[in-house]
Structures are given as C-alpha cells and as structure tokens.
Amino acid sequence: MSEYSKTLRLMERGREFLGSDYAILCGAMSWVSERNLVSAISNAGGFGVIACGAMTPELLDQEIAATRALTDKPFGVNLITMHPDLFDLIAVCEKHAVSHVVLAGGIPPKGSVEAIKGGKNPAKVIVFAPTLALAKKLLRSGGDALVIEGMEAGGHIGPVSTSVLAQEFLPELADDHLVFVAGGIGRGQAIAGYLEMGAVGVQLGTRFACAKESIAHENFKKAFFRANARDAIASVQVDPRLPVIPVRALKNKGTEEFTAKQREVAGSLDREEIAMNEAQLQIEHYWAGALRRAVIDGDVENGSLMAGQSVGMLKEEEPVADIIQKLMAQSEEALTRR
Ligand SMILES: Cc1cc2nc3c(=O)[nH]c(=O)nc-3n(C[C@H](O)[C@H](O)[C@H](O)COP(=O)(O)O)c2cc1C
C-alpha cells in the first residue's frame, strides 16, 4: 500500500472512519448496489453501500445477510428518509450491527439519527446536505460525516456543481469534520484535487455502475459505454407547484415519459385528488420502477438510465479492484507530480 503513500495520508481520517483500506465509497445506486457489487467494492478495499431504495424491511434484512456472507469487510446501508418504514429499516440495520448508515433524499426525520446511534449496536451516520447551513446543522445534531454531491452526479441531484460545493464547504468544515466529495469523479486526478482541498475521501457511482461485478443488464452497460458526458442530462420540472428533485440520466424515450408523468401527477394535484406528499411519492416510485426496467430488464429505451456526466469516461467493463487501483494510482501520480 505504500505505493500510494501520499494519497493514503490524505485519506487517513476517511479510512479510519470507514474502516476500509481506501476512502473511496461506491455511492448507493438503487437496483445496482446489491450484495454482489457492494461486497466486491468492500473486498477490493473500498467501501460498498447497499441501496435500500424502496425495499421492505424483510428484503433489506435478506440483502444485508447475503452481503455479509460475501464479505467480512465493512459496508454501509443507504436509507431514503421519506421511506414510510424508515424506523423499521433502521431496526434491521441495528439487528445486523451495520456499522454505517447513510441517510439520503432529504432532511433526516426527527428521532432517526438518534435511533441509528442509540440501541445495542450504534452505527455511524453519514448525511448529505445541499447547503452549508444545513450541513453544519446536521453535523451538530449527530451526523458523523458529510457527503457533498454536485450536479454532475447520476441520479437525484442538486443545482450546484461539485467544484463549487467543494470550494464553499471544505474550507469551513474540513478541519473539524469528515467530508467526502461526490459527483463527476471519473479519474484519480480529481480525487487528488479534492483531497488536497481537505476532503477525507470521495464517493463515486457512475464509474462503478458498469463494473464487471455489477448485476446491471448488458444493455444498460452498453448504453453507458456508448454515451458522452453531454448525453447525461438533468430532468426538467414542468410544474412550479410540484417540486420534483431533478434526476440526471441518459436521454431516451423514458426521459420524455417522465415529463408526461409529471403532468399527470400535477393534474391530480390540481383536482385535489392527492396531497403534495403523495404526489412526490408517486414521482419517486416512478423513478424506482423506471430504473428497475433499465438496470434489471435491460429496457434502455423506456427505462431510466441514471448516469452522471463522468459516463463519457467509461469505455469498458472492468473489475472493481482494477477501477479502484487505477483511481489510486492516478491520484498518487498527480500528487507526486506536484
Ligand atoms: C444508476 C444510479 C442510481 C443511483 N441511486 C441512488 C440511490 O438510490 N440513493 C442515493 O442516495 N444515491 C443514488 N445515486 C447517486 C450515487 O450514490 C452517487 O452519489 C453518485 O452516482 C455520485 O456521482 P457520480 O455518478 O458522478 O459518480 C445513484 C446514481 C446512479 C448513477
């Protein structure tokens, strides 16, 4: 490992926090981040995270057990804050003594952070925050580490780029807190840059989605290898009353269908057939279903091909271990050259 000594030194706090050789997380990706990819990432020295998504507590229970059977290295579980059974899912994580829980998709509901950190098997809590003020609040109220994720990323995104978030958040937080940077990272040179700015590690999604160990359908992977950065576009919001979190995905027929779905849900809101909460849940369920169609069924026309802008740098299927070693070597080379 000494061949990466500069990178490892800058990652030290992150590695210690995660309990992994390298402070490289594979961000949770619904349908993609299941037992095979998660265990492969952790076995290769990175940090895998199970995407719970819309899973029931029973399914999550099975997924954690199955992942454990494939790795004795630490891994995390990503829970979506708006999941109706959030507290039951937290209890499942506790039952399995999961070491790290990532809370994504919104502000953690009251009592959730306490539930994760209390109990027989307290876990570390990783949070996301789109603004510096919210980041400080979450880190004050129990968050152990923060992921800042720029709009270059695949999946649900905020409005600000990774480079701007890094400049805004890292000088304020890096001395006293653990900050991981995500969004648009395709090469180790970028990792070196963020580590030098004070990040303790990074999170990648798109780069790992098409790894050899990823169960994503062959069609899904081929679409990624064909795509350029500019093909990964953010969804548009059609109705100002219906706040839809934009999603970055490869442009296809499914992108247009999503616009139609938004109109349909906005119409139901208009006619007061559903409340805002329900409207947003319907949108989220739509995404989960569309992503499944692309990832599992291989329907790359109508399904959702969630992908970040780094997709243009993906050319072939590679084993997770090779991807991680390449990223580390590129980072080390960049740091050595400076
Ligand atoms: C196909 C796909 C599905 C994703 N699903 C989720 C998810 O379910 N929950 C979540 O918190 N983030 C999700 N993400 C975001 C990733 O966890 C990660 O933060 C992001 O991909 C990092 O940016 P990058 O794609 O530029 O590497 C998803 C990303 C992709 C590409």
Side-chain angles (χ1 to χ4, degrees), residues 27-30 32 51 78 80 104 128 149 152-155 182-185 203-207 220 224 291 306-310:
M29 295 176 278
S30 291
V32 181
N78 176 301
I80 308 288
F128 287 90
E149 182 175 59
E152 298 93 321
I185 299 175
Q203 170 165 306
L204 287 78
T206 300
R207 186 86 167 81
F220 182 90
F224 270 48
L291 183 61
M306 288 185 190
Q309 293 179 333
S310 67

Side-chain angles (χ1 to χ4, degrees), residues 6-39:
K6 291 187 168 62
T7 305
L8 290 173
R9 198 169 329 117
L10 292 175
M11 284 182 169
E12 201 166 311
R13 288 195 298 152
R15 293 162 54 214
E16 198 176 298
F17 171 73
L18 297 170
S20 57
D21 289 345
Y22 311 118
I24 299 178
L25 293 112
C26 173
M29 295 176 278
S30 291
W31 303 110
V32 181
S33 295
E34 47 69 77
R35 61 193 76 173
N36 292 290
L37 183 62
V38 174
S39 61

Side-chain angles (χ1 to χ4, degrees), residues 233-246:
I233 56 164
S235 62
V236 285
Q237 183 177 331
V238 298
D239 191 305
R241 287 160 316 139
L242 181 60
V244 172
I245 304 168

Side-chain angles (χ1 to χ4, degrees), residues 20 30 34 45 56-57 75-76 94 97 105 120 131 155-156 175 179 181 224 228 258 267 280 290 312 335:
S20 57
S30 291
E34 47 69 77
T56 59
F75 59 86
E94 198 209 331
K120 268 202 323 284
T131 66
H156 293 75
D175 284 347
V179 185
V181 173
F224 270 48
N228 295 312
F258 177 59
Q280 280 172 321
L335 293 172

Side-chain angles (χ1 to χ4, degrees), residues 80-319:
I80 308 288
T81 52
M82 68 170 84
H83 195 299
D85 300 326
L86 179 65
F87 285 85
D88 294 337
L89 297 167
I90 292 173
V92 170
C93 292
E94 198 209 331
K95 175 184 148 193
H96 287 278
V98 167
S99 55
H100 298 71
V101 174
V102 185
L103 288 175
I107 299 173
K110 209 169 178 311
S112 56
V113 172
E114 291 77 2
I116 296 167
K117 302 185 75 158
K120 268 202 323 284
N121 298 312
K124 291 169 182 149
V125 179
I126 305 176
V127 292
F128 287 90
T131 66
L132 188 54
L134 183 59
K136 286 181 178 169
K137 187 167 174 247
L138 293 178
L139 290 167
R140 256 199 325 267
S141 46
D144 297 300
L146 174 76
V147 179
I148 53 175
E149 182 175 59
M151 48 91 86
E152 298 93 321
H156 293 75
I157 53 169
V160 183
S161 69
T162 308
S163 62
V164 170
L165 290 176
Q167 292 171 74
E168 200 185 342
F169 285 52
L170 290 171
E172 289 263 345
L173 301 176
D175 284 347
D176 304 323
H177 300 284
L178 304 171
V179 185
F180 295 86
V181 173
I185 299 175
R187 304 236 193 274
Q189 286 84 353
I191 298 178
Y194 291 126
L195 291 175
E196 280 190 320
M197 290 172 75
V200 297
V202 290
Q203 170 165 306
L204 287 78
T206 300
R207 186 86 167 81
F208 287 120
C210 296
K212 202 162 188 307
E213 296 88 341
S214 154
I215 58 146
H217 196 281
E218 195 191 332
N219 296 350
F220 182 90
K221 293 185 180 179
K222 280 191 188 147
F224 270 48
F225 299 143
R226 272 198 305 269
N228 295 312
R230 65 180 57 201
D231 300 322
I233 56 164
S235 62
V236 285
Q237 183 177 331
V238 298
D239 191 305
R241 287 160 316 139
L242 181 60
V244 172
I245 304 168
V247 167
R248 187 175 298 287
L250 298 181
K251 195 169 187 301
N252 63 0
K253 232 167 88 196
T255 319
E256 287 155 36
E257 276 163 25
F258 177 59
T259 309
K261 176 72 188 174
Q262 282 188 72
R263 289 214 178 86
E264 178 198 314
V265 174
S268 307
L269 258 182
D270 267 348
R271 294 187 296 276
E272 294 180 4
E273 291 161 5
I274 53 171
M276 182 60 84
N277 255 3
E278 172 57 24
Q280 280 172 321
L281 263 184
Q282 280 193 16
I283 296 282
E284 288 315 308
H285 283 150
Y286 177 85
W287 276 124
L291 183 61
R292 186 186 194 288
R293 242 179 294 156
V295 173
I296 306 294
D297 306 338
D299 181 357
V300 293
E301 265 305 297
N302 305 297
S304 170
L305 293 162
M306 288 185 190
Q309 293 179 333
S310 67
V311 72
M313 290 180 245
L314 264 78
K315 294 292 168 234
E316 59 184 349
E317 205 178 56
E318 293 169 287

